[in-house]
Amino acid sequence: MDDRIINFEPLIEGVLIKRYKRFLSDIKLDNGEIVTAHCANTGPMKGLLNEGAKVRISYSSSPKRKLSWTWEQVEVTGINNEKVWVGINTLFANKLIKTVIEKNLLKDKLGDIATIQSEVVYGQDKKSRIDFLLTPKISNPDNRKIFIEVKNTTWKKNKIALFPDTETKRGQKHLIELKGVMPESKSVLVPCITRKDVDFFGPGDEADPIYGDLFRDSIDAGMLLIPCCFEFHKDHITWKGFKPLKLDG
DNA sequence: AACCCAGTGATTGACGCCGC
DNA sequence: GCGGCGTCAATCACTGGGTT
């Protein structure tokens, strides 16, 4: 089986000089040139901001952009000196999961899907947006709509991928709202694990204990958890399958 | 009706300024 | 010296108004 999910133009490699001002990162390319790349990750990127680390960036020719470069991946070194590339672009994570759904890789868990809508408003005040709203095919015995929230997961401890890596009020709200749409609709949380060096997924209790409590509440209430794992390469992504939940690891 | 473009909200860490 | 508050940063998706 070909486990390639997405192919793209080969990324450009360099080393991280620093990340600053929330959206900006300075990167030294292999040819010595220093460029400023947009950092599309909203979190603190725990364990990933090592100065001098190898990084990969993409180029956009859009005239509307101030910065042509986007930071996509960073290389980290494990305890046994093994190297792993980690995807850090949270927008890319959404695209990745959308492709996984379109390729029908979640069929065993969700059944056949008729339509996929992105960024649909929902929730108490209609101020939240669900990443994906799926409508099942008529033939699907469970005809409930499916709310899917995607979480780009980059932090790991031991062999467990952890989300979140910081206190996240927004993430807490998402869990409450996912719980709120049940049982009329199905709720699904999809941690998009953008590194291959993990065996499990777990809530980042240490970073956000309230999130951990809400996570358990929602699971108990019937929220489906589908942690998807990927390996990142210079010009493509491969599918590494589902990872089981491990609590109190 | 279809398309285009300008404007805007959402995102959160860093930093500057103010007052004490 | 320090805490709190406000602002800024770049991108994308969406919105609404205008034009073809």
Side-chain angles (χ1 to χ4, degrees):
Chain A
M1 174 185 123
D2 184 3
D3 56 2
R4 283 195 183 213
I5 298 276
I6 292 183
N7 294 301
F8 41 80
E9 289 295 303
L11 299 172
I12 306 300
E13 299 198 339
V15 298
L16 176 65
I17 297 173
K18 64 181 174 190
R19 180 211 190 188
Y20 58 105
K21 274 190 187 277
R22 165 66 182 76
F23 298 106
L24 307 180
S25 52
D26 281 353
I27 286 158
K28 185 174 186 180
L29 305 182
D30 289 349
N31 68 11
E33 187 186 350
I34 291 174
V35 298
T36 300
H38 179 246
C39 176
N41 188 305
T42 59
M45 297 169 64
K46 203 173 270 191
L48 303 178
L49 297 176
N50 307 311
E51 292 182 10
K54 281 194 197 175
V55 300
R56 289 173 176 157
I57 59 181
S58 62
Y59 183 81
S60 163
S61 59
S62 167
K64 295 183 177 180
R65 288 179 55 146
K66 197 165 178 178
L67 301 176
S68 296
W69 300 97
T70 302
W71 185 8
E72 303 284 352
Q73 303 176 17
V74 61
E75 188 185 61
V76 296
T77 304
I79 42 174
N80 299 322
N81 218 34
E82 76 278 14
K83 311 281 190 184
V84 179
W85 284 96
V86 183
I88 60 111
N89 184 339
T90 53
L91 295 170
F92 185 80
N94 274 38
K95 278 185 205 159
L96 195 50
I97 297 302
K98 185 170 189 186
T99 305
V100 165
I101 298 167
E102 286 168 348
K103 283 178 177 279
N104 223 10
L105 291 167
L106 305 185
K107 177 178 157 61
D108 288 351
K109 300 178 184 291
L110 303 180
D112 285 317
I113 300 304
T115 63
I116 306 175
Q117 294 169 268
S118 301
E119 302 285 338
V120 178
V121 297
Y122 79 119
Q124 291 274 319
D125 48 9
K126 296 265 182 257
K127 280 187 178 165
S128 289
R129 281 193 288 190
I130 193 73
D131 287 325
F132 300 116
L133 178 59
L134 310 190
T135 309
K137 278 192 183 168
I138 308 279
S139 58
N140 197 325
D142 188 341
N143 65 0
R144 288 177 297 166
K145 295 215 169 207
I146 304 171
F147 286 71
I148 298 189
E149 186 66 35
V150 176
K151 296 295 174 196
N152 191 41
T153 303
T154 59
W155 189 32
K156 87 152 196 173
K157 251 191 158 179
N158 303 318
K159 299 289 272 183
I160 308 173
L162 297 166
F163 183 90
D165 66 351
T166 184
E167 183 189 58
T168 168
K169 285 273 195 302
R170 184 161 173 266
Q172 292 171 14
K173 189 177 166 199
H174 284 150
L175 285 176
I176 292 166
E177 286 171 344
L178 280 175
K179 192 177 168 186
V181 301
M182 294 186 292
E184 292 77 16
S185 300
K186 287 167 82 169
S187 287
V188 184
L189 187 68
V190 178
C192 178
I193 306 170
T194 58
R195 59 191 301 168
K196 64 164 182 173
D197 58 339
V198 298
D199 293 330
F200 304 96
F201 170 81
D205 295 323
E206 178 190 315
D208 188 344
I210 297 173
Y211 185 95
D213 289 344
L214 292 167
F215 174 84
R216 288 167 178 79
D217 281 352
S218 294
I219 293 283
D220 290 344
M223 181 183 73
L224 194 56
L225 178 73
I226 309 180
C228 297
C229 187
F230 304 91
E231 180 171 357
F232 279 61
H233 301 267
K234 191 170 184 173
D235 62 357
H236 69 282
I237 307 292
T238 57
W239 166 247
K240 305 299 280 185
F242 306 111
K243 298 295 170 186
L245 172 64
K246 191 177 177 82
L247 292 171
D248 311 315

